[in-house]
Amino acid sequence: MEKVVDIQHLSKSFGNHEVLKDIDFSVNKGEVVCIIGSSGSGKSTLLRCINLLEKPSGGQIIYKGENILDDQHDIYAYRTKLGMVFQQFNLFNNHDVLGNCVVGQMKVLKRSKADAEKVAMRYLKVVGMDQYIHAKPKQLSGGQKQRVAIARALSMEPDVMLFDEPTSALDPEMVGEVLTVMKELAESGLTMLIVTHEMGFAKDVADRVVFMDKGVIAEEGSPEQIFNNPTQERTREFLKRTLSM
Amino acid sequence: MSFEWIIKIILENGPMFIRGAGITLLISITGTILGSLIGLIVGVIRTMPMPERGSKRVALKVTNAILSAYIEFFRGTPMIVQAMVIFYGSALAFGWDMDRLVAAIFIVSINTGAYMSEIVRGGIISIDRGQFEAAHAIGMNHIQTMLNVVLPQVIRNILPATGNEFVINIKDTSVLNVISVTELYFQTKSVAGNNFRYFESFFVACIIYFIMTFTVTRILRFIEKKLDGPENYILCGNQMQVERPEDMLRRTKP
């Protein structure tokens, strides 16, 4: 199976605090991987290290056979290949919905306005936001913002989509609309790496579940294995705590 | 009687006041615009992320030091003194006979630039980190992030402060009479020197200054409101410029 990103011995420290310790991890093409774990276990940091929003302290990130942590590697070109969806949506406040999906394509990928708008409209339709193309971010609800953010990331036509707790900042009734969109994307064969607290969702859509604890990958495997027969004591404990809520 | 004098002064010297007000507006508008441009550029440079090592780091450090010196110097000395030093200093040092209007615009611009740099820097710092991260995540570099995402928001946020600078400039150009720029204060002084009616002449100038500053603040308010747009989005089912049947009826009706 072809690996989209391959992470080897990745570590990250903030000062003396080691957040990630010697992580080995990869995402295969077409695979949906969910990362679960309690807060502070390093899940988000791992995701942010993958697209270099945090600079890893050590290790390698191999993309298309090249280590992108080399000094001379073009990190901007690499980042266009990873779509990122943030917990806080982070839509560009000065652009409307269509503008959010178009600006990256035009300025970074140098697509023409017409092409960019065509691509943007296609993905806005996928997330069901094509009715709102001229709305500004402040006029949208949280769930709508997150769906636009997903369309924005998809418009760059990335190799893999990274979701950093996409539903954690949403009101409960809006979580559903975002998860539905993500589920559709998963079924369409998109490669996805999702940090989430939605255990039901992870169980449902993931091909592989990774459980992180204290900066290391404690256990990984199929959803059935992790949720039904976890081998590690700490996985069992974590699941007991979260699922009983 | 003062009131009659005021009318008389306006009737007799109207064109002089108008010309003076025109020069005042010209200096303050160009000064504010050029100053804002200086401020934007300096603000962006001063918020650039510091490279970890290499020659770029040294270059940025040196540039930042120079820019800090510029800001501190022009904020820390009175414009009236700067005007004298620059105008007469350039004549003495380089033998330049600067056009007085050009010198005035130059002085106001770099003075405003110093203040605007700090305002812009504050504006950039106040933008949510998430905006930078989102822009970086779709592959934008620092310049692209600034031009397409951050600066448009900064400009909106610093508009009130810029308006402040503009109003201050309209008033403070009066100090440029020390280098004999024929702005409103200078003209008023000439008028009063002719008729010896100081109160009445300067009362007229006072009103003209107020009209200019008040108009400018109103205009900027209007622009702010325009930029903000409506709070709510009205979904009218016609976002794609698709013609609705009733529109078509209206159009085809003879």
Side-chain angles (χ1 to χ4, degrees), chain A residues 145-161:
Chain A
K145 280 187 210 173
Q146 195 58 299
R147 285 190 278 149
V148 173
I150 293 172
R152 172 177 69 182
L154 286 172
S155 296
M156 301 295 286
E157 299 182 320
D159 289 343
V160 53
M161 286 282 285

Side-chain angles (χ1 to χ4, degrees), chain A residues 10 76-77 121 150 175 232:
Chain A
L10 189 82
Y76 300 108
M121 281 312 293
I150 293 172
V175 171
Q232 302 271 332

Side-chain angles (χ1 to χ4, degrees), chain A residues 133-149:
Chain A
I133 51 173
H134 296 304
K136 289 276 187 157
K138 68 170 180 185
Q139 299 166 325
L140 301 175
S141 72
Q144 291 174 326
K145 280 187 210 173
Q146 195 58 299
R147 285 190 278 149
V148 173

Side-chain angles (χ1 to χ4, degrees), chain A residues 48 79 91 94-95 138-139, chain B residues 131 133 136 148 228 230:
Chain A
R48 291 165 60 82
R79 277 182 177 147
L91 289 184
N94 56 320
H95 290 283
K138 68 170 180 185
Q139 299 166 325
Chain B
Q131 298 282 311
E133 288 186 350
H136 289 156
N148 298 304
D228 284 346

Side-chain angles (χ1 to χ4, degrees), chain B residues 6-28:
Chain B
I6 290 172
I7 302 288
K8 193 165 176 258
I9 289 169
I10 293 174
L11 288 178
E12 279 176 7
N13 305 296
M16 258 182 107
F17 281 115
I18 299 291
R19 234 179 298 135
I23 298 286
T24 292
L25 268 186
L26 174 70
I27 296 173
S28 46

